[in-house]
């Protein structure tokens, strides 16, 4: 009995009000814990999101050099020593990219009863001319001349492909020509027959071939429009 009395004095039984308050405290802790779990669940499984998708087609450009056939102004099957002939050529950029181009030529001796090599007595020059102005009188001086078969104006044509305007193998050649997309350029080709050609050149022939090589320009980040509205 004494021990029970001492126990009650040291650890008295909680009052009824304390018991109710403790139950409310534990209930509050439980509710707060559940609320925290709910917030965590809401944060991880119900995020607001958004996204967009975009696409665009990529199409490469084209390099397309076109021109008409060469047609000389006088019959080429009845030339005499000292005669000259001209032919207009329009070079067109029918592609979508700005390009540079160079011209090479070669001459080949053809059939005939004469014994002379006609290519030895011919001379070639190329001029820039406005449309309709490719004439003999308009090509007697060096004005507008962009290429010739001999730097000394001597007679004799190459019989293998030889650059005459610019250089197709040299991108940095200062004589290369430039054309933007849809642009064109009118050229005039002149051939002279040596006045000193002798009888061995009677009834001889030769074929002249002009080769135009076009090349796209290297990409320039400062000029992303590859059609070449501006540029060298």
């Amino acid at each position: 009995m004494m021990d029970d009395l001492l126990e009650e004095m040291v650890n008295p039984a909680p009052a009824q009000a304390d018991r109710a308050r403790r139950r409310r405290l534990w209930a509050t802790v439980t509710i707060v814990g559940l609320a925290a779990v709910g917030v965590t669940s809401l944060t991880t499984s119900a995020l607001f999101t958004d996204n967009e998708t975009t696409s665009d087609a990529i199409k490469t450009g084209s390099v397309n050099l076109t021109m008409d056939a060469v047609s000389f102004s006088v019959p080429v099957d009845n030339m005499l020593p000292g005669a000259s002939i001209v032919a207009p050529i329009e070079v067109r950029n029918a592609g979508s990219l700005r390009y540079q181009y160079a011209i090479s030529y070669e001459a080949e001796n053809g059939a005939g009863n004469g014994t002379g090599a006609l290519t030895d007595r011919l001379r070639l020059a190329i001029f820039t001319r406005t449309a309709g102005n490719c004439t003999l009188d308009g090509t007697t001086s060096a004005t507008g001349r962009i290429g010739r078969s001999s730097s000394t104006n001597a007679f004799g044509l190459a019989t293998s492909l030889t650059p005459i305007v610019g250089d197709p193998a040299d991108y940095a050649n200062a004589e290369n020509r430039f054309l933007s997309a849809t642009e064109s350029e009118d050229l005039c080709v002149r051939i002279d027959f040596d006045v000193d050609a002798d009888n061995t050149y009677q009834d001889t022939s030769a074929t002249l071939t002009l080769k135009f090589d076009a090349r796209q320009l290297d990409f320039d980040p400062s000029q992303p429009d590859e059609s070449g509205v501006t540029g060298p």
Side-chain angles (χ1 to χ4, degrees), residues 54-125:
T54 184
S55 63
D56 195 6
I58 298 174
K59 185 177 184 299
T60 59
S62 61
V63 173
N64 187 358
L65 183 152
T66 64
M67 68 191 65
D68 299 323
V70 176
S71 179
F72 287 99
S73 59
V74 298
V76 294
D77 57 355
N78 199 30
M79 287 186 71
L80 68 156
S84 299
I85 52 178
V86 293
I89 298 179
E90 182 186 18
V91 183
R92 297 180 295 272
N93 184 343
S96 63
L97 298 175
R98 178 174 172 81
Y99 63 62
Q100 64 174 358
Y101 75 90
I103 307 173
S104 302
Y105 84 96
E106 65 178 337
E108 181 181 4
N109 290 302
N113 294 319
T115 59
L118 182 57
T119 56
D120 293 340
R121 294 296 183 173
L122 298 178
R123 183 173 59 199
L124 171 65

Side-chain angles (χ1 to χ4, degrees), residues 8-68:
E8 289 180 2
M9 292 177 64
V10 174
N11 295 310
Q16 292 295 327
D18 290 340
R19 290 177 181 173
R21 186 166 56 252
R22 289 180 181 178
R23 284 196 296 270
R24 289 195 300 271
L25 177 60
W26 282 111
T28 300
V29 171
T30 302
I31 292 172
V32 171
L34 291 175
V37 172
V39 170
T40 302
S41 176
L42 177 63
T43 303
T44 57
S45 64
L47 297 175
F48 290 143
T49 62
D50 188 19
N51 64 77
E52 295 288 346
T53 300
T54 184
S55 63
D56 195 6
I58 298 174
K59 185 177 184 299
T60 59
S62 61
V63 173
N64 187 358
L65 183 152
T66 64
M67 68 191 65
D68 299 323

Side-chain angles (χ1 to χ4, degrees), residues 105 123-125 145 147-157 164:
Y105 84 96
R123 183 173 59 199
L124 171 65
R145 187 175 63 200
R148 55 180 174 168
S149 54
S150 170
S151 60
T152 61
N153 227 27
F155 287 90
L157 299 182
I164 187 171

